[in-house]
């Protein structure tokens, strides 16, 4: 009897990560009671003890292990890429079949299609890794305006996942399906997200100012006619911050008498100054968004989230009425440079003190959390069921049919999805960032065509 107890306890200790003290506390049985047990009752009591030990491994620990599984990563990839292609096909049919007759109806339907795709990415941050965003804003003004008008968002671009934290914020504001952005033209030809952005009427630029000016004017006029609130994101730095690009940016700033920034690149102003006139007179405002992560935390990456490890982003959100932005182009450009000086002070303060306001001179506002909605979770679960059940059956048949040809085909399909997942993660890495603006000579050429470079005191 005692030997049987010992075996169960040893096995429980081996398979479950619990302390010896926990095992001992569960295994101690009153000697008098043990003496009165039959062998059958002893087996039953030992089984109960084993079950109790197993329950000591919390669900969070079990889930944490599963989230690191390559098999589950594969299932997430299959769900996203297959559902993405299905959504793209539906968007294409609507774009050519409905949009010419009713843009209103097309946009209403496409909102839900875009949301269904984007929210699977947000699910990775919001539910899979249980990450969080702390928002710092004037709460009264935030509740009154944010999400209830068109927004022109100016956000820094320093981290691998700053864009994802922006989507996270949009999801909490119920605006994820109506998020638009500026992107280079070649992205519209990339399947799934690129095609979704194309059908979602994002602004694709050719980096030729004469063409881009016309594109910006035409598309913003269309976007502000949205029946629902729309947010348009501009990362005015033009590319993700790296030390190499920052050095080139500082050289350019010195040459042109522009403010030198410590944590941002020189903003490109022409896209901003040419966009704002089309927002005037509409229910719209500019929103300054500053994203930061504590330096004491692990580096925030998509891979970290895929492994189920949480991150916490800090977002400063300030609403700026369009009336406060100068109408004249050069004055508008100076205003943007001054805004980036403020953003730079806030970033510097956060890096030093984990606080946007301690050393920046910016008026302090309290931080708060936005309520998590279950929609992205339900959307991903539904797509997972719709895609994975037939896909798993199909792959299982290929792998077990006994034919080397079909077996190889099944392995190839799995390899393709792993490759797509790896490629998608790789595109977010800072080391894989665009070479755009890496040298001072190149940056000078780029900014001459995209900025007002008049000296700013």
């Amino acid at each position: 009897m005692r030997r049987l107890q010992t075996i169960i306890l040893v096995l429980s200790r081996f398979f479950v990560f619990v302390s010896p003290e926990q095992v001992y506390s569960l295994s101690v049985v009153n000697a008098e009671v043990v003496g009165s047990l039959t062998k059958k009752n002893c087996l039953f009591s030992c089984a109960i003890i084993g079950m109790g030990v197993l329950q000591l491994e919390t669900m969070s620990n079990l889930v944490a292990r599963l989230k690191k599984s390559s098999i589950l990563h594969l299932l997430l990839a299959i769900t996203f890429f297959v559902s993405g292609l299905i959504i793209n096909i539906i968007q294409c049919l609507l774009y050519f079949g409905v949009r010419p007759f009713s843009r209103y109806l097309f946009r209403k339907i496409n909102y839900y299609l875009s949301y269904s795709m984007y929210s699977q990415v947000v699910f990775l941050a919001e539910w899979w890794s249980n990450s969080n965003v702390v928002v710092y804003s004037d709460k009264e003004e935030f509740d009154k305006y944010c999400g209830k008008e068109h927004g022109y968002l100016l956000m820094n671009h320093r981290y691998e996942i700053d864009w994802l934290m922006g989507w996270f914020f949009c999801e909490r504001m119920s605006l994820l399906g109506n998020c638009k952005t500026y992107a280079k033209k070649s992205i519209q030809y990339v399947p799934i997200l690129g095609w979704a952005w194309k059908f979602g009427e994002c602004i694709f630029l050719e980096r030729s100012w004469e063409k881009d000016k016309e594109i910006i004017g035409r598309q913003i006029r269309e976007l502000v006619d949205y029946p629902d609130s729309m947010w348009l994101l501009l990362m005015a730095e033009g590319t993700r911050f790296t030390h190499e690009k920052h050095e080139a940016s500082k050289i350019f700033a010195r040459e042109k008498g522009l403010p030198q920034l410590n944590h941002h690149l020189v903003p490109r102003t022409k896209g901003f100054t040419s966009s704002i006139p089309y927002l005037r007179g509409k229910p719209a405002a500019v929103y300054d968004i500053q994203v930061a992560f504590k330096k004491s935390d692990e580096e925030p990456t998509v891979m970290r989230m895929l492994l189920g490890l949480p991150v916490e982003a800090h977002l400063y959100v300030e609403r700026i009425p369009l009336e406060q932005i100068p109408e004249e182009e050069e004055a508008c450009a100076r205003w943007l440079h001054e805004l980036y000086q403020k953003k730079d002070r806030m970033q510097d303060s956060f890096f030093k003190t984990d606080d946007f306001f301690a050393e920046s001179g910016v008026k302090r506002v309290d931080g708060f959390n936005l309520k998590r909605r279950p929609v992205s979770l339900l959307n991903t679960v539904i797509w997972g069921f719709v895609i994975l059940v037939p896909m798993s059956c199909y792959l299982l048949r290929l792998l077990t049919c006994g034919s080397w040809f079909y077996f190889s085909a099944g392995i190839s399909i799995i390899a393709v999805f792993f490759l797509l997942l790896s490629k998608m993660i790789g595109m977010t890495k800072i080391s894989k960032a665009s070479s755009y603006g890496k040298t001072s000579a190149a940056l000078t050429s780029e900014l001459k065509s995209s900025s007002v470079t008049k000296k700013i005191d």
Side-chain angles (χ1 to χ4, degrees):
M1 180 176 63
R2 294 184 181 277
R3 183 178 301 173
L4 189 57
Q5 280 185 308
T6 302
I7 292 172
I8 291 178
L9 293 174
V10 169
L11 290 175
S12 299
R13 175 72 184 122
F14 180 78
F15 288 109
V16 184
F17 293 107
V18 295
S19 66
E21 292 77 11
Q22 290 172 317
V23 174
Y24 177 76
S25 65
L26 287 172
S27 64
V28 173
V29 181
N30 187 283
E32 294 181 1
V33 176
V34 171
S36 64
L37 290 176
T38 64
K39 184 175 182 180
K40 182 177 180 179
N41 287 337
C42 179
L43 288 171
F44 178 75
S45 65
C46 291
I48 294 298
I49 292 172
M51 291 173 63
V53 175
L54 289 173
Q55 289 176 353
L56 288 175
E57 181 178 31
T58 63
M59 282 298 296
S60 59
N61 288 335
L62 177 61
V63 171
R65 292 184 199 173
L66 291 174
K67 287 178 180 178
K68 294 178 173 61
S69 167
S70 297
I71 299 299
L72 288 186
H73 297 167
L74 173 65
L75 297 179
L76 288 174
I78 292 174
T79 301
F80 176 74
F81 290 118
V82 176
S83 66
L85 286 175
I86 293 172
I87 291 171
N88 284 161
I89 292 171
I90 298 172
Q91 286 178 312
C92 182
L93 295 174
L94 293 172
Y95 188 85
F96 294 106
V98 175
R99 187 173 182 271
F101 306 102
S102 175
R103 290 193 177 187
Y104 175 84
L105 179 59
F106 168 76
R107 287 169 172 171
K108 278 290 188 180
I109 299 173
N110 194 59
Y111 167 85
Y112 294 103
L113 293 172
S114 298
Y115 177 85
S116 188
M117 181 185 296
Y118 301 163
S119 65
Q120 292 183 61
V121 182
V122 173
F123 162 83
L124 186 68
E126 191 173 27
W127 295 94
W128 187 261
S129 68
N130 200 31
S131 296
N132 187 39
V133 170
V134 181
V135 178
Y136 301 84
S137 188
D138 183 316
K139 194 65 166 65
E140 182 179 347
E141 188 175 64
F142 185 91
D143 292 338
K144 183 178 180 180
Y145 293 106
C146 199
K148 300 177 177 66
E149 62 183 351
H150 295 319
Y152 193 90
L153 279 57
L154 292 168
M155 193 168 81
N156 59 320
H157 195 20
R158 184 182 182 91
Y159 304 96
E160 289 187 9
I161 61 169
D162 44 23
W163 59 274
L164 179 51
M165 293 297 100
W167 276 13
F168 191 116
F169 175 57
C170 292
E171 156 60 20
R172 296 285 173 94
M173 297 303 302
S174 303
L175 282 170
L176 184 59
N178 271 346
C179 288
K180 317 295 176 185
T181 190
Y182 296 83
K184 58 184 178 181
K185 187 177 180 179
S186 59
I187 291 179
Q188 68 181 323
Y189 304 112
V190 177
I192 304 176
L193 279 177
W195 291 349
W197 286 7
K198 172 63 178 177
F199 298 131
E201 300 175 289
C202 289
I203 301 177
F204 292 98
L205 304 177
E206 300 185 21
R207 288 180 176 167
S208 167
W209 177 239
E210 293 304 318
K211 295 180 181 178
D212 290 344
K213 184 177 182 180
E214 180 183 349
I215 293 171
I216 289 172
R218 182 181 68 253
Q219 289 205 237
I220 291 184
R221 277 195 297 266
E222 294 179 359
L223 290 176
V224 294
D225 287 335
Y226 261 67
D228 302 316
S229 297
M230 173 275 306
W231 278 1
L232 177 60
L233 171 66
L234 173 66
M235 292 175 169
E237 295 164 87
T239 185
R240 186 183 286 127
F241 182 98
T242 66
H243 292 294
E244 185 179 13
K245 294 175 186 177
H246 183 225
E247 288 302 315
S249 178
K250 289 195 296 185
I251 292 173
F252 175 83
R254 286 196 298 268
E255 292 174 351
K256 299 300 177 181
L258 297 170
Q260 292 190 45
L261 306 175
N262 295 320
H263 307 289
H264 299 79
L265 305 180
V266 175
R268 293 158 170 79
T269 61
K270 283 217 176 241
F272 176 75
T273 59
S274 61
S275 299
I276 293 300
Y278 299 101
L279 297 172
R280 297 187 188 277
K282 304 291 183 180
V286 170
Y287 285 84
D288 174 24
I289 310 290
Q290 190 68 17
V291 185
F293 296 86
K294 291 182 179 180
K295 281 198 166 183
S296 58
D297 295 342
E298 293 289 334
E299 185 70 18
T301 63
V302 173
M303 178 55 73
R304 178 178 173 81
M305 288 184 170
L306 187 61
L307 294 174
L309 302 174
V311 301
E312 183 173 72
H314 297 262
L315 259 68
Y316 172 78
V317 180
E318 180 187 8
R319 180 182 184 270
I320 305 171
L322 290 170
E323 293 76 21
Q324 296 183 13
I325 302 174
E327 294 188 18
E328 195 271 326
E329 184 179 358
E330 287 192 7
C332 186
R334 286 196 294 272
W335 180 90
L336 184 64
H337 282 294
E338 290 167 2
L339 177 68
Y340 266 78
Q341 290 178 70
K342 186 192 82 169
K343 290 168 77 68
D344 207 57
R345 292 196 305 271
M346 294 185 73
Q347 197 78 6
D348 188 69
S349 176
F350 194 91
F351 282 163
K352 291 178 180 177
T353 66
D354 290 339
D355 188 320
F356 282 123
F357 314 103
E359 298 182 5
S360 65
V362 176
K363 181 182 177 181
R364 180 177 294 278
V365 290
D366 294 331
F368 54 91
N369 292 306
L370 298 173
K371 185 178 180 181
R372 182 162 66 170
R373 307 189 314 150
V375 189
S376 62
L377 173 62
L378 292 174
N379 175 76
T380 304
V381 169
I382 291 171
W383 272 119
F385 180 79
V386 171
I387 300 298
L388 293 179
V389 170
M391 194 72 178
S392 299
C393 292
Y394 177 69
L395 287 175
L396 190 61
R397 287 178 61 188
L398 289 178
L399 296 174
T400 60
C401 67
S403 167
W404 279 104
F405 175 78
Y406 290 116
F407 180 82
S408 300
I411 294 297
S412 299
I413 292 172
I414 293 172
V416 166
F417 282 113
F418 268 124
L419 182 63
L420 289 172
L421 178 62
S422 176
K423 184 68 174 178
M424 185 175 178
I425 294 172
M427 290 174 64
T428 68
K429 292 182 178 179
I430 292 178
S431 61
K432 300 294 184 180
S434 166
S435 60
Y436 186 60
K438 278 190 174 180
T439 66
S440 58
L443 189 64
T444 299
S445 175
E446 291 155 5
L447 286 170
K448 279 181 179 178
S449 62
S450 62
S451 299
V452 175
T453 57
K454 187 175 180 178
K455 183 175 180 177
I456 298 174
D457 297 325

